[in-house]
């Protein structure tokens, strides 16, 4: 059984990815940060559908906790999957912030940097010894990298950094045939998406398909990228945004 680790797998696009991966026969290790109840409910629903999922706590902004997290992962791999390694890492966890450049605080800037760039960098570095040769890393970026959307400058800038980091991962992990790609959602109906009726209508007018996306439309792409059908895709950023400002 292939095993995928999904950070921020308790809600939104991560939860959707977890469900679809489990339905396709993968073992799932999903992480949560502040909301264990959502993670537990998802684990139970995957188990009820015949899949196997385990939830672990992880703050992606806390690099100092990553070594202990790796120990927990190793233990779960042994006990739940009879494995000493895993196949796929999805760096998905994150939070958003709407605040124009003129008023962003240093604390907000540092918080976004920690979760969207520094965290994925050091978490991948820490977990790398447990990833199989031929494995695959997927980083969640954002369509806000391509089109400037006022109010999300630090977030979008760090996502841009993550896109570059993805190419460097593909380069530096090539000796182990580990691939790295990023998936770049547009406006998706999750808590982070921050939609209300008016905002959704405005966004829909900017999207060729005329609507915002649903979490499973990101989860489906990630699960599909992890399948063998897509084994020659490497070092790419794949925007999944319904044709956002084209
Ligand atoms: N939704 C969109 O429109 C959109 C667009 C472009 C890109 N994205 C990207 O897609 C990814 C997922 O976003 P989403 O919309 O699914 O968000 P979401 O629904 O708000 O879910 C966020 C997930 O990340 C976890 N999380 C938050 N902060 C964390 C931290 N510091 N450490 C570890 N886990 C943390 C949450 O866990 P707890 O609930 O347990 O705290 C939750 O599982 C993010 O990287 C986001 O930037 C989303």
């Amino acid at each position: 059984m292939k095993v995928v680790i999904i950070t921020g797998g308790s809600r939104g696009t991560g939860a959707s990815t977890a469900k679809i991966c489990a339905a396709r026969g993968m073992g799932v290790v999903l992480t949560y940060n502040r909301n264990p109840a959502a993670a537990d409910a998802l684990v139970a629903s995957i188990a009820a559908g015949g899949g196997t999922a385990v939830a672990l706590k992880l703050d992606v902004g806390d690099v100092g906790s990553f070594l202990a997290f790796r120990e927990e992962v190793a233990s779960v791999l042994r006990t739940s999957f009879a494995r000493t390694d895993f196949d796929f890492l999805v760096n998905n966890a994150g939070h958003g912030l709407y605040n124009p450049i003129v008023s962003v605080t240093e604390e907000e800037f540092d918080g976004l940097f920690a979760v969207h760039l520094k965290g994925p960098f050091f978490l991948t570095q820490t977990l790398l010894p447990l990833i199989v040769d031929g494995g695959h890393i997927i980083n969640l970026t954002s369509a806000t990298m391509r089109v400037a959307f006022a109010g999300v400058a630090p977030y979008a800038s760090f996502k841009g950094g993550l896109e570059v980091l993805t190419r460097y991962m593909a380069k530096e992990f090539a000796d182990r045939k580990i691939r790295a790609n990023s998936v770049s959602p547009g406006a998706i109906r999750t808590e982070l998406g921050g939609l209300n009726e008016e905002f959704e209508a405005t966004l829909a007018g900017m999207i060729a398909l005329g609507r915002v996306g649903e979490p499973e439309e990101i989860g489906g792409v990630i699960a599909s990228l992890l399948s063998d059908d897509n084994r020659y895709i490497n070092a790419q950023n794949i925007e999944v945004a319904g044709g956002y400002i084209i």
Side-chain angles (χ1 to χ4, degrees), residues 177-199:
K177 303 290 182 279
I178 293 173
R179 292 178 296 130
N181 291 292
S182 55
V183 168
S184 182
I188 308 298
R189 194 187 310 282
T190 66
E191 201 170 310
L192 182 148
L195 297 174
N196 57 37
E197 211 173 311
E198 193 189 341
F199 188 33

Side-chain angles (χ1 to χ4, degrees), residues 7-15 31-36 38-39 58-62 91-96 98 115-116 140-144 155 159 162 183-194 215 218:
T7 68
S10 56
R11 293 192 287 110
T13 62
T31 77
Y32 62 93
N33 185 31
R34 295 197 175 143
N35 190 351
L58 173 71
D59 179 354
V60 169
D62 181 8
N91 283 308
N92 165 84
H95 65 275
Y98 287 93
V115 165
H116 290 287
L140 270 285
T141 53
S142 166
T144 57
Y155 170 88
K159 290 298 199 186
L162 187 58
V183 168
S184 182
I188 308 298
R189 194 187 310 282
T190 66
E191 201 170 310
L192 182 148
I218 303 300

Side-chain angles (χ1 to χ4, degrees), residues 1 17 19 34 37 50 67-69 78 86 90 114-115 118 124 141 161 165 169 172 189 198 208 217 219 226:
M1 177 191 268
T17 304
K19 280 185 223 162
R34 295 197 175 143
L67 271 179
F69 177 72
R78 270 194 309 276
F86 68 98
V90 181
V115 165
K118 186 176 174 186
T124 303
T141 53
L165 175 60
M169 288 178 176
E172 294 195 11
R189 194 187 310 282
E198 193 189 341
E217 291 175 309
L226 295 178

Side-chain angles (χ1 to χ4, degrees), residues 3-187:
V3 176
V4 57
I5 298 187
I6 304 163
T7 68
S10 56
R11 293 192 287 110
T13 62
S16 175
T17 304
K19 280 185 223 162
I20 296 171
C21 287
R24 294 187 184 181
M26 292 177 225
V28 173
V29 179
L30 59 94
T31 77
Y32 62 93
N33 185 31
R34 295 197 175 143
N35 190 351
D40 290 345
L42 180 55
V43 165
S45 108
I46 288 174
T52 310
V54 178
L56 296 177
K57 180 167 167 42
L58 173 71
D59 179 354
V60 169
D62 181 8
V63 174
S65 71
F66 289 177
L67 271 179
F69 177 72
R70 184 171 73 194
E71 292 309 307
E72 275 192 273
V73 167
S75 161
V76 156
L77 289 171
R78 270 194 309 276
T79 54
S80 298
F81 303 103
R83 294 272 305 262
T84 54
D85 50 19
F86 68 98
D87 303 281
F88 311 127
L89 172 64
V90 181
N91 283 308
N92 165 84
H95 65 275
L97 172 79
Y98 287 93
N99 200 0
I101 293 171
V102 291
S103 51
V104 168
T105 67
E106 187 177 356
E107 192 183 3
E108 288 169 339
F109 182 100
D110 288 345
L112 289 163
F113 173 71
V115 165
H116 290 287
L117 190 52
K118 186 176 174 186
F121 184 103
F122 285 105
L123 186 67
T124 303
Q125 180 195 72
T126 306
L127 293 180
L128 196 59
L130 298 184
I131 300 179
V132 289
D133 289 2
H136 192 171
I137 297 160
I138 295 183
N139 297 316
L140 270 285
T141 53
S142 166
T144 57
M145 303 181 310
R146 180 176 61 80
V147 179
F149 187 91
V152 300
Y155 170 88
S157 303
F158 302 138
K159 290 298 199 186
L162 187 58
E163 184 195 354
V164 173
L165 175 60
T166 303
R167 277 194 294 283
Y168 275 81
M169 288 178 176
K171 185 79 175 175
E172 294 195 11
F173 306 158
D175 56 339
R176 294 183 50 205
K177 303 290 182 279
I178 293 173
R179 292 178 296 130
N181 291 292
S182 55
V183 168
S184 182

